[in-house]
Amino acid sequence: MAFRTPSPTREGATPGSPRRSVTALPPVPPPGGAIRRLAGLLDQAGYNATRVRAHLGVGSLFDLGGAAPPESRAAAESGTTAEAGTLPGAVSVLVDLFLRGRRVPRAQLDEALGAGAASLLLEAGVVRGVAGGGVSGDGPAEEAEGSEGRELAATLLLYPVGPVLIASDLTPDAPGCLGGELDTLPPEAVYPALAGPNRSFLADLPGEPCPGDLLDLCGGTGVAALLSAAGAGVSGTVISADVSPRAAAFAALGGALNGVELEAVTGDLWAPVAGRRFARILAHPPYLPSVDGDHAFRDGGLDGERLLRRVLEGLPAHLAPGGLFHGHGLVVETEEESAEERVRGFLKEGRAGGGEGGTGPDAGTGSSGEPRSEPDLWLFEHEAFTPADFVVRQMQAGRMEAGAADRHLAGLARAGVRRFVRGSIFVRAGGADDAGESNAPKPNGCPPLTLRRSRGTSPGVLTGSGELDEAGSAELAAFRQSTRRLARARAGGTVGRLRCRLAPGARIQVSHGAKEGELVPEAAALVRDGALPARVGIPVGALPLVPRFDGTRTPGQVRRETVAAGEIPDAVSTADIRHLVEGLLDAGLLLPGDGAGAG
């Protein structure tokens, strides 16, 4: 599972020693001139994901979860902390301060980052002066003012996630921003963006440009909004919304650190944006099933759906025509209802009731009152597990006692929960969209898509890939676009006019068997790995067709060429080839080309 398992012991602790908890959180630094100057200083020092990963010798900063950041690989081998291309030791000092939670002498900070750097960090509010040596997580430290020999300790975690810098609350067991046990954070603390559950959400983040306003719901640090703005871009307003004023403060701080004009709003889910519609909505609501939890950044009620359901029911009232929603969470399956059917049901409930934060039961109509088509829905499954699996893992992690486990299992049984499905949910509203697809309405009789696929190359096992998965995200986007175009072609009777091309990474596998002393092809399949792994068997005799799917030919043209070349018999009909094409399109092994032919 993706829920992070806290370390049973911390550095310097003994098994069974009590967990420390943070009872008072420092104020979040306000955005302003000092923060903007700090961003420039960090950029000059090379405090970015590439150099921090290289310094620590990890493939992704998500790999720091559950352990203190390791010592620099270069430092371990050579005894030096110098970073190539940066001020001497700059990245090393910043990692010590903002990732390891170590106190750094003021003089060392000025030497590494330049004269006046310590004063700027103090002015920005991201560090505080302390007296004495050691590690900032070791206990209370005496404030020290005006001492040249004083040390500085971070007031927050500050770390790169892909191309952006993110700030969040300190975890209690420094060193290591993820070495701390999140269970000991106060309920109002802001969850680290580098913690495990965020990895899958950010890996699937849409990479397409946003053509209007963007809303990051349950935004926390604002990492999804900031990555969207820094990546393909957002042409409208960027909003991060969270029930926690502290989270909104961190999101505003992130906007200032990254030069993004971000509007941070506070309120209960949709309340801060009531009556507004967005071209892009992102949401990663808390989804940990819990009977006793009170952590706003983590717990999702008995079945984990408490907030996800409200998010989905509010979509019809807030997603603009053609708008795209991406959310990540836990969906229940019962004997009567699959996960994707359940999500579709939540969307229908929102349309019928106007949606949370809407203006009444008109969420299913357009601006002029005409019926709006049902949205298309994709569920990309990252993992599935039973209630018993979940409870066992929670007990093994020390998060659940036997009595609570029994109560939880009994409650889930009464609710009819058979299985949990964790995955990424995409919803595309009817109308014009931003994916380069036709703006024309769906043909009559074209039902809304409700598709579910397994998400391969799980971000939990990616190595050397950084914090994001741009290739996987692009693959999901291509599949969404392809399946929409195929649905329109089927409804319009124009599948035979599609000019299809092989999906990137598709390859042929042929198995051979011995026959009369020779190896001969017996079976063939078109396969693909990556974000959406697929395998479709094809007749060995159909292999000559495959290279001709290059985006320039219709199925009929492919048939005529291969028959003329003597590669397939004339008895193979265009309908036969069209049937094969549809199966490969459904699996994502073929993609519709840009144009259509006469067939």
Side-chain angles (χ1 to χ4, degrees):
M1 291 179 59
F3 304 120
R4 195 183 69 80
T5 302
S7 305
T9 63
R10 61 182 182 274
E11 186 176 341
T14 57
S17 60
R19 293 178 176 177
R20 284 180 306 206
S21 61
V22 173
T23 56
L25 296 169
V28 180
I35 291 296
R36 289 190 290 272
R37 296 198 305 277
L38 171 64
L41 176 68
L42 297 176
D43 181 62
Q44 180 185 2
Y47 192 58
N48 56 53
T50 299
R51 286 184 170 170
V52 171
R53 288 196 298 264
H55 175 79
L56 296 174
V58 296
S60 167
L61 295 184
F62 276 108
D63 296 337
L64 301 179
E71 296 296 332
S72 163
R73 178 175 292 171
E77 293 175 353
S78 65
T80 178
T81 59
E83 303 294 328
T86 70
L87 298 172
V91 171
S92 176
V93 169
L94 291 168
V95 166
D96 276 352
L97 188 64
F98 292 120
L99 277 174
R100 291 195 175 102
R102 292 176 177 170
R103 298 172 189 161
V104 175
R106 177 171 182 158
Q108 181 185 358
L109 214 147
D110 280 341
E111 180 182 0
L113 301 178
S119 295
L120 174 57
L121 268 62
L122 284 164
E123 181 186 354
V126 297
V127 298
R128 61 189 176 93
V130 296
V135 179
S136 63
D138 283 343
E142 180 186 349
E143 299 289 338
E145 298 295 338
S147 170
E148 286 299 322
R150 74 182 180 185
E151 296 178 326
L152 299 179
T155 62
L156 44 68
L157 301 174
L158 184 59
Y159 43 89
V161 178
V164 301
L165 282 174
I166 299 297
S168 60
D169 274 314
L170 290 163
T171 49
D173 291 322
C177 75
L178 300 181
E181 297 168 350
L182 299 185
D183 286 358
T184 60
L185 281 170
E188 68 273 19
V190 176
Y191 200 75
L194 282 175
N198 268 349
R199 191 169 197 178
S200 299
F201 171 58
L202 298 181
D204 292 352
L205 200 66
E208 309 98 304
C210 176
D213 294 345
L214 178 144
L215 172 65
D216 183 9
L217 202 59
C218 307
T221 62
V223 60
L226 294 169
L227 284 170
S228 297
V234 179
S235 65
T237 303
V238 179
I239 298 176
S240 180
D242 200 284
V243 70
S244 163
R246 190 169 181 84
F250 270 116
L253 175 61
L257 282 168
N258 294 283
V260 174
E261 291 188 14
L262 181 144
E263 180 183 342
V265 298
T266 303
D268 182 23
L269 211 60
W270 296 104
V273 293
R276 299 180 64 174
R277 290 188 181 273
F278 299 88
R280 180 77 47 80
I281 298 177
L282 311 170
H284 186 209
Y287 59 79
L288 183 75
S290 173
V291 288
D292 302 316
D294 61 353
H295 284 71
F297 62 73
R298 186 193 63 191
D299 298 317
L302 176 71
D303 57 10
E305 289 183 339
R306 180 175 60 195
L307 283 177
L308 180 63
R309 178 172 190 150
R310 292 175 59 196
V311 168
L312 294 169
E313 289 178 350
L315 277 184
H318 294 282
L319 195 58
L324 178 66
F325 167 78
H326 163 50
H328 193 89
L330 212 60
V331 184
V332 161
E333 283 195 323
T334 66
E335 292 294 340
E336 297 78 24
E337 194 174 39
S338 67
E340 62 272 30
E341 291 169 342
R342 192 170 179 87
V343 172
R344 173 64 70 184
F346 293 156
L347 293 172
K348 288 183 177 179
E349 289 176 18
R351 284 170 58 89
E356 187 171 339
T359 56
D362 59 352
T365 61
S367 57
S368 59
E370 75 282 2
R372 182 174 292 139
S373 60
E374 290 275 355
D376 292 323
L377 163 66
W378 299 263
L379 172 60
F380 297 109
E381 177 186 322
H382 283 247
E383 65 171 342
F385 47 93
T386 67
D389 292 334
F390 169 74
V391 166
V392 167
R393 294 175 187 181
Q394 290 299 98
M395 294 179 70
Q396 290 173 339
R399 286 202 183 102
M400 188 177 287
E401 301 294 336
D406 291 341
R407 293 198 309 274
H408 204 161
L409 284 174
L412 293 172
R414 287 193 297 272
V417 176
R418 182 176 64 89
R419 199 164 68 147
F420 294 110
V421 175
R422 182 178 66 83
S424 288
I425 299 166
F426 288 85
V427 176
R428 173 76 76 179
D433 58 50
D434 60 315
E437 302 163 24
S438 170
N439 290 342
K442 293 180 182 179
N444 290 333
C446 182
L449 289 174
T450 302
L451 296 177
R452 175 173 168 182
R453 293 290 186 274
S454 293
R455 172 59 153 101
T457 315
S458 171
V461 297
L462 291 178
T463 57
S465 62
E467 290 68 57
L468 308 176
D469 184 9
E470 290 93 343
S473 173
E475 195 174 325
L476 299 186
F479 181 78
R480 296 194 305 270
Q481 180 175 346
S482 170
T483 50
R484 294 188 87 212
R485 296 182 67 177
L486 177 58
R488 285 164 168 74
R490 279 174 169 154
T494 59
V495 173
R497 298 177 59 191
L498 293 176
R499 301 179 184 271
C500 298
R501 56 185 173 86
L502 288 169
R507 65 188 190 278
I508 294 172
Q509 286 185 348
V510 181
S511 60
H512 294 73
K515 185 175 182 180
E516 297 180 356
E518 295 184 0
L519 288 177
V520 296
E522 287 187 337
L526 199 60
V527 300
R528 186 187 189 193
D529 300 320
L532 295 174
R535 178 185 179 89
V536 173
I538 58 177
V540 172
L543 289 176
L545 302 171
V546 176
R548 288 185 167 83
F549 293 127
D550 59 0
T552 66
R553 301 172 176 87
T554 66
Q557 291 168 334
V558 168
R559 176 190 176 277
R560 286 193 291 271
E561 289 184 13
T562 49
V563 168
E567 296 172 339
I568 63 171
D570 187 55
V572 176
S573 68
T574 299
D576 294 331
I577 296 177
R578 191 177 303 168
H579 179 75
L580 174 64
V581 165
E582 289 198 51
L584 296 175
L585 283 167
D586 282 331
L589 291 164
L590 284 184
L591 301 176
D594 293 332

Tab-separated table of all heavy atoms in Angstrom, residues 181-189 191 286-288 290 292-301 306-307:
chain	number	residue	atom	x	y	z
A	181	GLU	N	7.737	10.582	12.388
A	181	GLU	CA	6.530	9.771	12.357
A	181	GLU	C	5.319	10.694	12.246
A	181	GLU	O	5.040	11.474	13.143
A	181	GLU	CB	6.469	8.900	13.613
A	181	GLU	CG	7.637	7.905	13.662
A	181	GLU	CD	7.778	7.235	15.005
A	181	GLU	OE1	7.102	7.674	15.956
A	181	GLU	OE2	8.567	6.292	15.101
A	182	LEU	N	4.607	10.594	11.136
A	182	LEU	CA	3.540	11.546	10.868
A	182	LEU	C	2.403	11.422	11.865
A	182	LEU	O	1.626	12.350	12.041
A	182	LEU	CB	3.030	11.348	9.437
A	182	LEU	CG	4.078	11.563	8.340
A	182	LEU	CD1	3.439	11.453	6.978
A	182	LEU	CD2	4.774	12.899	8.480
A	183	ASP	N	2.297	10.258	12.534
A	183	ASP	CA	1.246	10.108	13.534
A	183	ASP	C	1.411	11.100	14.685
A	183	ASP	O	0.455	11.390	15.407
A	183	ASP	CB	1.266	8.688	14.108
A	183	ASP	CG	0.704	7.674	13.119
A	183	ASP	OD1	0.281	8.100	12.035
A	183	ASP	OD2	0.701	6.481	13.444
A	184	THR	N	2.631	11.582	14.884
A	184	THR	CA	2.875	12.476	16.010
A	184	THR	C	2.733	13.943	15.639
A	184	THR	O	2.936	14.801	16.485
A	184	THR	CB	4.285	12.232	16.585
A	184	THR	OG1	5.256	12.484	15.563
A	184	THR	CG2	4.437	10.805	17.082
A	185	LEU	N	2.407	14.214	14.399
A	185	LEU	CA	2.147	15.598	14.005
A	185	LEU	C	0.816	16.055	14.594
A	185	LEU	O	-0.142	15.275	14.670
A	185	LEU	CB	2.090	15.725	12.482
A	185	LEU	CG	3.424	15.756	11.737
A	185	LEU	CD1	3.187	15.629	10.247
A	185	LEU	CD2	4.189	17.030	12.034
A	186	PRO	N	0.714	17.322	14.979
A	186	PRO	CA	-0.581	17.827	15.432
A	186	PRO	C	-1.613	17.751	14.302
A	186	PRO	O	-1.249	17.788	13.121
A	186	PRO	CB	-0.280	19.280	15.809
A	186	PRO	CG	1.193	19.353	15.965
A	186	PRO	CD	1.766	18.335	15.044
A	187	PRO	N	-2.887	17.639	14.628
A	187	PRO	CA	-3.907	17.539	13.578
A	187	PRO	C	-3.889	18.699	12.593
A	187	PRO	O	-4.248	18.522	11.430
A	187	PRO	CB	-5.223	17.504	14.372
A	187	PRO	CG	-4.840	16.940	15.696
A	187	PRO	CD	-3.464	17.465	15.980
A	188	GLU	N	-3.464	19.897	13.043
A	188	GLU	CA	-3.475	21.061	12.156
A	188	GLU	C	-2.226	21.174	11.307
A	188	GLU	O	-2.102	22.078	10.470
A	188	GLU	CB	-3.658	22.356	12.965
A	188	GLU	CG	-2.478	22.723	13.859
A	188	GLU	CD	-2.558	22.081	15.225
A	188	GLU	OE1	-3.301	21.084	15.385
A	188	GLU	OE2	-1.860	22.569	16.142
A	189	ALA	N	-1.257	20.263	11.472
A	189	ALA	CA	-0.007	20.336	10.719
A	189	ALA	C	-0.260	20.096	9.236
A	189	ALA	O	-1.206	19.410	8.840
A	189	ALA	CB	0.987	19.315	11.258
A	191	TYR	N	0.782	18.463	5.814
A	191	TYR	CA	1.396	17.206	5.370
A	191	TYR	C	2.550	17.470	4.410
A	191	TYR	O	2.430	18.271	3.490
A	191	TYR	CB	0.304	16.425	4.659
A	191	TYR	CG	0.496	14.958	4.509
A	191	TYR	CD1	0.332	14.110	5.579
A	191	TYR	CD2	0.781	14.414	3.262
A	191	TYR	CE1	0.466	12.740	5.415
A	191	TYR	CE2	0.907	13.052	3.097
A	191	TYR	CZ	0.749	12.216	4.175
A	191	TYR	OH	0.869	10.869	4.016
A	286	PRO	N	-7.872	13.534	1.718
A	286	PRO	CA	-7.467	12.471	2.649
A	286	PRO	C	-8.346	11.238	2.452
A	286	PRO	O	-9.556	11.346	2.327
A	286	PRO	CB	-7.706	13.106	4.023
A	286	PRO	CG	-7.664	14.581	3.775
A	286	PRO	CD	-8.234	14.779	2.411
A	287	TYR	N	-7.722	10.048	2.441
A	287	TYR	CA	-8.507	8.852	2.146
A	287	TYR	C	-8.142	7.645	3.008
A	287	TYR	O	-8.570	6.525	2.717
A	287	TYR	CB	-8.380	8.469	0.659
A	287	TYR	CG	-6.988	8.188	0.163
A	287	TYR	CD1	-6.367	6.975	0.401
A	287	TYR	CD2	-6.295	9.135	-0.587
A	287	TYR	CE1	-5.094	6.703	-0.071
A	287	TYR	CE2	-5.017	8.877	-1.066
A	287	TYR	CZ	-4.423	7.661	-0.810
A	287	TYR	OH	-3.154	7.407	-1.278
A	288	LEU	N	-7.394	7.849	4.074
A	288	LEU	CA	-7.067	6.701	4.922
A	288	LEU	C	-8.309	6.268	5.696
A	288	LEU	O	-8.853	7.043	6.483
A	288	LEU	CB	-5.958	7.072	5.901
A	288	LEU	CG	-5.477	5.923	6.790
A	288	LEU	CD1	-4.612	4.951	5.994
A	288	LEU	CD2	-4.706	6.449	7.989
A	290	SER	N	-10.544	5.187	8.561
A	290	SER	CA	-10.240	5.380	9.983
A	290	SER	C	-11.525	5.422	10.785
A	290	SER	O	-12.534	5.979	10.340
A	290	SER	CB	-9.459	6.688	10.178
A	290	SER	OG	-9.281	6.979	11.531
A	292	ASP	N	-11.086	6.233	14.265
A	292	ASP	CA	-10.761	7.126	15.377
A	292	ASP	C	-9.896	8.305	14.966
A	292	ASP	O	-9.561	9.141	15.794
A	292	ASP	CB	-10.006	6.358	16.483
A	292	ASP	CG	-10.810	5.179	16.998
A	292	ASP	OD1	-12.019	5.355	17.226
A	292	ASP	OD2	-10.229	4.082	17.158
A	293	GLY	N	-9.480	8.398	13.683
A	293	GLY	CA	-8.501	9.405	13.283
A	293	GLY	C	-9.055	10.812	13.282
A	293	GLY	O	-10.239	11.047	13.030
A	294	ASP	N	-8.165	11.767	13.587
A	294	ASP	CA	-8.569	13.166	13.571
A	294	ASP	C	-7.572	14.017	12.802
A	294	ASP	O	-7.537	15.234	12.960
A	294	ASP	CB	-8.704	13.707	15.005
A	294	ASP	CG	-7.389	13.631	15.784
A	294	ASP	OD1	-6.420	13.031	15.259
A	294	ASP	OD2	-7.335	14.177	16.900
A	295	HIS	N	-6.713	13.395	11.977
A	295	HIS	CA	-5.738	14.151	11.209
A	295	HIS	C	-6.374	14.590	9.894
A	295	HIS	O	-6.670	13.767	9.030
A	295	HIS	CB	-4.485	13.316	10.945
A	295	HIS	CG	-3.591	13.190	12.149
A	295	HIS	ND1	-3.934	12.437	13.243
A	295	HIS	CD2	-2.384	13.750	12.428
A	295	HIS	CE1	-2.969	12.515	14.152
A	295	HIS	NE2	-2.015	13.306	13.680
A	296	ALA	N	-6.540	15.895	9.738
A	296	ALA	CA	-7.213	16.423	8.552
A	296	ALA	C	-6.452	16.082	7.277
A	296	ALA	O	-7.049	15.919	6.213
A	296	ALA	CB	-7.370	17.940	8.676
A	297	PHE	N	-5.111	15.959	7.359
A	297	PHE	CA	-4.328	15.705	6.159
A	297	PHE	C	-4.355	14.247	5.749
A	297	PHE	O	-3.810	13.884	4.714
A	297	PHE	CB	-2.876	16.170	6.337
A	297	PHE	CG	-2.097	15.470	7.430
A	297	PHE	CD1	-1.668	14.162	7.277
A	297	PHE	CD2	-1.794	16.126	8.603
A	297	PHE	CE1	-0.952	13.525	8.264
A	297	PHE	CE2	-1.064	15.496	9.604
A	297	PHE	CZ	-0.643	14.192	9.435
A	298	ARG	N	-4.997	13.354	6.541
A	298	ARG	CA	-4.830	11.932	6.296
A	298	ARG	C	-6.121	11.126	6.320
A	298	ARG	O	-6.364	10.270	5.471
A	298	ARG	CB	-3.865	11.365	7.350
A	298	ARG	CG	-3.461	9.937	7.171
A	298	ARG	CD	-2.773	9.417	8.434
A	298	ARG	NE	-3.683	9.437	9.587
A	298	ARG	CZ	-3.283	9.242	10.842
A	298	ARG	NH1	-2.012	9.068	11.110
A	298	ARG	NH2	-4.177	9.254	11.818
A	299	ASP	N	-6.990	11.334	7.270
A	299	ASP	CA	-8.095	10.415	7.550
A	299	ASP	C	-9.317	10.704	6.685
A	299	ASP	O	-9.722	11.857	6.499
A	299	ASP	CB	-8.463	10.494	9.036
A	299	ASP	CG	-7.289	10.065	9.919
A	299	ASP	OD1	-6.649	9.064	9.572
A	299	ASP	OD2	-7.011	10.747	10.920
A	300	GLY	N	-9.928	9.603	6.169
A	300	GLY	CA	-11.062	9.736	5.263
A	300	GLY	C	-12.323	9.062	5.733
A	300	GLY	O	-13.182	8.724	4.904
A	301	GLY	N	-12.463	8.847	7.037
A	301	GLY	CA	-13.676	8.219	7.538
A	301	GLY	C	-13.607	6.706	7.471
A	301	GLY	O	-12.598	6.117	7.081
A	306	ARG	N	-15.120	9.617	2.616
A	306	ARG	CA	-15.867	10.730	3.190
A	306	ARG	C	-15.725	12.013	2.373
A	306	ARG	O	-16.720	12.668	2.049
A	306	ARG	CB	-15.399	10.970	4.623
A	306	ARG	CG	-16.106	12.129	5.332
A	306	ARG	CD	-15.661	12.218	6.776
A	306	ARG	NE	-14.217	12.432	6.880
A	306	ARG	CZ	-13.517	12.261	8.009
A	306	ARG	NH1	-14.135	11.851	9.106
A	306	ARG	NH2	-12.221	12.475	8.030
A	307	LEU	N	-14.501	12.369	2.010
A	307	LEU	CA	-14.291	13.602	1.262
A	307	LEU	C	-14.331	13.366	-0.244
A	307	LEU	O	-14.812	14.232	-0.988
A	307	LEU	CB	-12.963	14.237	1.652
A	307	LEU	CG	-12.970	14.977	2.987
A	307	LEU	CD1	-11.581	15.501	3.305
A	307	LEU	CD2	-13.955	16.136	2.959
